[in-house]
Amino acid sequence: MKQVHVNTNDHSYTVYLDNGLRFETGKWLQKCLEQPVSSILVITDSTVGPLYLKDVLSGLSGFEQVHTVTIPSGEQSKSFAEYERLITEALTCGLDRKSVIIALGGGVVGDIAGFVAASYMRGIRFVQMPTTLLAHDSSVGGKVAINHALGKNMVGAFHQPEVVLYDTAMLGSLSTQEWRSGFAEVLKHGLILNRPFYEWLQTSIKSFDSIDNDLMAELLSQSIAIKAKVVSEDEQEHGVRALLNLGHTLGHAIESVSGYGRITHGEAVVIGIVFAMRLSEQLYDTHLDIPSFIAWVKSFGYETEIPNELSRQELLLAMKKDKKTEAGMIRMILLKEIGVACVEKVETDIIFSLLKEN
Amino acid sequence: MKQVHVNTNDHSYTVYLDNGLRFETGKWLQKCLEQPVSSILVITDSTVGPLYLKDVLSGLSGFEQVHTVTIPSGEQSKSFAEYERLITEALTCGLDRKSVIIALGGGVVGDIAGFVAASYMRGIRFVQMPTTLLAHDSSVGGKVAINHALGKNMVGAFHQPEVVLYDTAMLGSLSTQEWRSGFAEVLKHGLILNRPFYEWLQTSIKSFDSIDNDLMAELLSQSIAIKAKVVSEDEQEHGVRALLNLGHTLGHAIESVSGYGRITHGEAVVIGIVFAMRLSEQLYDTHLDIPSFIAWVKSFGYETEIPNELSRQELLLAMKKDKKTEAGMIRMILLKEIGVACVEKVETDIIFSLLKEN
């Protein structure tokens, strides 16, 4: 079994990756949680629930108090209304401070279930069981959040899971679009910090259909290890952790302006990465071989240009709402070269010109 | 000027107490905040705003970006709806990660503004400017929260302020009811941990009208120092901090069953303290001289018995929703003697009998 340890200031935990972990959830809770568990609330969504909830519950038969709640699948569920509903469910089920919330699903479930756990009675334990490739990213680092109409992930907390149980077999049911959404974060990790990993990806991953269980576990554990290293160095995102936002300033803006859920997170991020690469070449004396990057990602079906119908003015305004913005100046993650990223305050005019050109 | 230092695991800050601090807010921000401030949002309520907001703003004239928002005064404002509205205001004002939220008001403003600060962009800085006696308690320890129809303070975080500016002159405008609400926490601090302070209070405070500025500063700084000591030993409420909940298990239930805002927090807590004292005498071989306590607090106008119209069954159910409840067992804070408190799991039957008797 592959495992990656994640160290943060106040808390360490392990990400376990293996085929069939979902049937042994209870065993792993007993192994990894130090304090007794009074009750469990499994939060899942309408796509994942029908596929895997039964398996997970069968593995929890040793616990007396196990409750479940299902949210509609999709980014729209990361709303204030759904958040309040989940808190109501938690109260109605009688969850207390010794209870545990299990997030069974992708990034959306992890984000909202994590924020419920972070804020319920000022914080109770939670366990992540990611079911998508994308969730490998959000399950490391403890960033949990919900959306606001004026911006994505605007309300949230830093709340680390007790343990992450990654059943690689659950990834078998992903659609190509979901693959694309998750793979964007994987290649991003190579681009910002690890050129050899990026080159290994370009060589090894030619199509999503050709990824078998072993290649999957290798890809996930390497990508998680990069994320874990960054997070351990900078839990609260004061420094190096900001680099993980490569492609996200524009990516989030595209998601927000087009309406959450119209374009997947990862697909928006890839467009944002191409934009950041172009800006990097414009501002630095560097050559990133953008055409070869574009050709590679297009072979997976990614779009690389900003959709024509999105107003550049609205995109710029949305970019200014980015959490990295300081005193009105947009701070972009750019690449000095492949594997070497940096944070740069960029003039609004320069960004707007490049938005209009593309 | 009196000051009390508060040390927590990840953060230390100071509570300053003096006459007229509100006119010098900007000076103190510059002195106490390490990182630059991009913008400020002052959150106040409809009672405090008309009295002191102008004074505070005059002291902030050195800052370019200063926004204000006013919530309706009263416990009803600690709602999900008001929370969402404040987040929307913060986004609309363009608050970023270098912004600061100032909570100008009593416990309600501190709690909700603190939770907004704790969760906005996963946490920005906040500064407390308490305007009530009660807020002296909530301003130490970083417990911030909003209410749910099913329970008080059920959603929140631990988020320490950067500094607390306590302008004692602002307490001049308090009503007798507000005095009662705050003084309950002061006497509670003596009862659980500091018999000399409790006896000093019984000797020195004969009526609220007789408290001058010096006596006020003395009372506040001593009470804050007790709270600060407890919090520094147990920031996350795993142990000794629970003792601060003396009178709160029943107190919160009374507030919840009667409808938030019908009875003040402190008035409900005093009824809860009398209940906890009776339960303590029933369970332990101790004599707490309850009649003398009742006579003293009645002289300030406190009620000491549970209102007849409140259903004992509903109160019991509400007590079970307390955050200290574990696996259905109510955990009460009781007194072994004056100044020596403890946590005790108490059988539901015993509590219900005593509820029915009183």
Side-chain angles (χ1 to χ4, degrees):
Chain A
M1 177 186 314
K2 287 207 180 276
Q3 47 184 275
V4 183
H5 297 286
V6 184
N7 294 307
T8 64
N9 279 340
D10 57 344
H11 191 56
S12 294
Y13 63 94
T14 304
V15 182
Y16 294 95
L17 302 110
D18 205 3
N19 206 318
L21 280 181
R22 69 186 182 282
F23 296 102
E24 303 172 338
T25 310
K27 188 188 94 179
W28 288 96
L29 292 196
Q30 258 141 4
K31 183 179 148 77
C32 302
L33 300 186
E34 286 173 23
Q35 299 290 321
V37 175
S38 60
S39 61
I40 294 172
L41 176 63
V42 184
I43 299 179
T44 189
D45 73 20
S46 53
T47 303
V48 173
L51 294 172
Y52 303 118
L53 183 57
K54 209 175 125 196
D55 300 345
V56 171
L57 293 178
S58 77
L60 288 171
S61 57
F63 291 87
E64 267 182 39
Q65 296 283 328
V66 181
H67 311 274
T68 63
V69 56
T70 303
I71 62 174
S73 62
E75 187 80 22
Q76 293 86 342
S77 279
K78 280 174 62 177
S79 65
F80 278 79
E82 203 61 33
Y83 169 64
E84 184 172 0
R85 185 174 81 89
L86 289 176
I87 294 284
T88 303
E89 285 285 339
L91 284 164
T92 309
C93 295
L95 260 59
D96 62 32
R97 287 185 167 171
K98 303 254 186 231
S99 299
V100 171
I101 286 177
I102 296 179
L104 172 68
V108 167
V109 169
D111 277 359
I112 187 167
F115 187 47
V116 169
S119 56
Y120 185 76
M121 296 189 175
R122 298 197 184 89
I124 63 173
R125 294 171 291 178
F126 90 117
V127 168
Q128 298 236 36
M129 298 188 67
T131 60
T132 65
L133 181 59
L134 180 56
H136 92 282
D137 188 47
S138 53
S139 67
V140 178
K143 283 171 74 170
V144 296
I146 56 173
N147 297 329
H148 186 283
L150 294 175
K152 204 171 139 79
N153 293 328
M154 281 299 161
V155 177
F158 290 93
H159 191 60
Q160 310 295 336
E162 299 297 306
V163 60
V164 179
L165 302 174
Y166 219 131
D167 184 345
T168 47
M170 292 199 288
L171 298 180
S173 52
L174 293 183
S175 69
T176 306
Q177 199 185 37
E178 285 171 306
W179 273 104
R180 275 200 292 271
S181 194
F183 193 65
E185 303 290 349
V186 176
L187 63 86
K188 181 201 73 182
H189 286 157
L191 278 172
I192 58 172
L193 282 171
N194 193 322
R195 185 174 191 138
F197 177 57
Y198 177 72
E199 287 169 349
W200 176 81
L201 285 173
Q202 280 202 316
T203 315
S204 314
I205 315 290
K206 294 297 183 192
S207 90
F208 295 141
D209 297 334
S210 65
I211 303 180
D212 62 14
N213 260 336
D214 286 349
L215 191 57
M216 170 61 75
E218 180 65 27
L219 180 157
L220 277 174
S221 60
Q222 282 212 45
S223 189
I224 288 172
I226 294 173
K227 175 80 180 271
K229 185 167 178 294
V230 172
V231 168
S232 71
E233 286 172 14
D234 179 23
E235 188 177 348
Q236 301 288 319
E237 200 164 358
H238 297 305
V240 64
R241 185 162 180 174
L243 304 183
L244 294 170
N245 284 296
L246 176 70
H248 282 62
T249 311
L250 177 58
H252 282 161
I254 290 172
E255 285 180 273
S256 166
V257 172
S258 62
Y260 292 123
R262 300 291 179 82
I263 180 167
T264 70
H265 178 65
E267 289 174 317
V269 164
V270 164
I271 297 172
I273 288 176
V274 172
F275 183 82
M277 288 171 107
R278 286 182 178 138
L279 194 54
S280 303
E281 287 198 344
Q282 185 178 326
L283 295 178
Y284 307 135
D285 179 23
T286 185
H287 177 68
L288 301 170
D289 196 1
I290 300 173
S292 112
F293 177 78
I294 288 180
W296 182 51
V297 297
K298 271 184 184 256
S299 74
F300 299 111
Y302 285 106
E303 294 295 328
T304 57
E305 307 305 321
I306 305 166
N308 282 330
E309 67 271 22
L310 299 185
S311 148
R312 271 45 183 171
Q313 192 76 48
E314 282 182 49
L315 285 174
L316 186 73
L317 278 173
M319 288 174 84
K320 283 197 170 185
K321 294 241 160 66
D322 184 85
K323 291 189 284 294
K324 292 184 301 302
T325 294
E326 277 178 15
M329 277 283 263
I330 296 174
R331 291 165 74 230
M332 296 282 296
I333 312 305
L334 300 178
L335 295 176
K336 296 263 181 183
E337 55 186 273
I338 302 295
V340 182
C342 61
V343 186
E344 188 85 61
K345 282 189 190 176
V346 185
E347 293 289 344
T348 304
D349 291 353
I350 295 177
I351 291 177
F352 194 47
S353 297
L354 197 58
L355 281 174
K356 284 189 288 190
E357 282 168 31
N358 291 280
Chain B
M1 177 185 314
K2 289 209 180 273
Q3 46 185 276
V4 182
H5 297 286
V6 184
N7 293 308
T8 64
N9 280 339
D10 58 343
H11 191 58
S12 294
Y13 63 93
T14 304
V15 181
Y16 295 96
L17 302 112
D18 206 3
N19 206 318
L21 279 182
R22 69 187 183 280
F23 296 103
E24 303 172 339
T25 309
K27 189 188 92 179
W28 289 95
L29 292 196
Q30 258 141 5
K31 182 179 148 78
C32 302
L33 301 186
E34 285 173 23
Q35 299 290 323
V37 175
S38 61
S39 62
I40 294 171
L41 176 63
V42 184
I43 299 178
T44 188
D45 73 21
S46 53
T47 302
V48 173
L51 294 172
Y52 303 119
L53 183 57
K54 208 175 127 196
D55 300 345
V56 171
L57 292 178
S58 77
L60 289 171
S61 58
F63 292 87
E64 268 182 37
Q65 296 284 328
V66 181
H67 312 274
T68 63
V69 57
T70 303
I71 62 175
S73 61
E75 187 79 23
Q76 293 86 341
S77 280
K78 280 175 62 177
S79 65
F80 278 79
E82 203 61 34
Y83 169 64
E84 184 172 2
R85 185 175 81 89
L86 289 176
I87 293 284
T88 303
E89 285 285 338
L91 283 164
T92 309
C93 295
L95 260 61
D96 62 32
R97 289 185 165 171
K98 303 254 186 229
S99 299
V100 171
I101 286 176
I102 296 179
L104 172 68
V108 167
V109 169
D111 277 359
I112 187 167
F115 186 48
V116 169
S119 56
Y120 185 76
M121 297 190 174
R122 299 197 184 87
I124 64 173
R125 294 171 292 179
F126 90 116
V127 168
Q128 297 236 37
M129 298 188 67
T131 60
T132 65
L133 181 58
L134 179 57
H136 92 281
D137 187 46
S138 54
S139 67
V140 178
K143 282 171 74 168
V144 295
I146 57 174
N147 297 330
H148 186 282
L150 295 175
K152 203 171 139 83
N153 293 328
M154 282 297 160
V155 177
F158 291 94
H159 191 61
Q160 311 293 338
E162 300 295 307
V163 59
V164 179
L165 301 173
Y166 219 131
D167 184 347
T168 47
M170 292 199 287
L171 298 180
S173 52
L174 292 183
S175 69
T176 307
Q177 200 185 37
E178 285 170 307
W179 272 104
R180 276 200 292 270
S181 194
F183 193 64
E185 304 290 348
V186 175
L187 64 86
K188 180 201 74 181
H189 286 157
L191 280 171
I192 57 171
L193 282 170
N194 194 321
R195 186 175 191 136
F197 178 56
Y198 177 72
E199 288 171 348
W200 176 81
L201 285 173
Q202 281 203 317
T203 316
S204 313
I205 314 291
K206 294 296 183 194
S207 90
F208 296 141
D209 296 335
S210 65
I211 303 179
D212 62 16
N213 260 335
D214 286 349
L215 191 56
M216 169 62 73
E218 181 66 25
L219 178 157
L220 277 174
S221 60
Q222 282 211 47
S223 190
I224 288 172
I226 294 173
K227 175 82 181 266
K229 184 167 178 295
V230 172
V231 168
S232 71
E233 287 171 16
D234 179 23
E235 187 178 350
Q236 300 289 319
E237 201 162 355
H238 298 304
V240 64
R241 187 162 177 176
L243 304 182
L244 294 170
N245 284 296
L246 176 71
H248 282 62
T249 311
L250 177 58
H252 281 162
I254 290 173
E255 285 180 273
S256 166
V257 172
S258 62
Y260 293 123
R262 299 290 179 82
I263 179 168
T264 70
H265 177 65
E267 288 173 317
V269 164
V270 164
I271 297 172
I273 288 176
V274 172
F275 183 83
M277 288 170 106
R278 286 181 179 140
L279 193 53
S280 303
E281 288 197 345
Q282 184 177 327
L283 296 179
Y284 308 133
D285 178 25
T286 186
H287 177 69
L288 300 170
D289 195 3
I290 300 173
S292 113
F293 176 78
I294 288 180
W296 181 50
V297 297
K298 272 183 183 265
S299 75
F300 298 112
Y302 285 105
E303 295 295 328
T304 57
E305 307 305 321
I306 305 167
N308 281 330
E309 67 272 22
L310 299 185
S311 149
R312 271 43 182 175
Q313 192 76 48
E314 282 183 50
L315 286 174
L316 186 72
L317 278 173
M319 287 173 84
K320 283 197 170 187
K321 293 242 160 65
D322 184 86
K323 290 188 285 296
K324 292 186 300 304
T325 294
E326 277 177 17
M329 276 282 264
I330 296 174
R331 292 166 73 230
M332 296 281 296
I333 311 305
L334 299 178
L335 295 177
K336 296 260 181 184
E337 54 186 273
I338 300 295
V340 182
C342 62
V343 186
E344 189 85 60
K345 282 189 190 177
V346 185
E347 293 289 344
T348 304
D349 291 354
I350 296 177
I351 292 178
F352 193 47
S353 296
L354 197 58
L355 281 174
K356 283 190 289 190
E357 281 169 29
N358 290 281

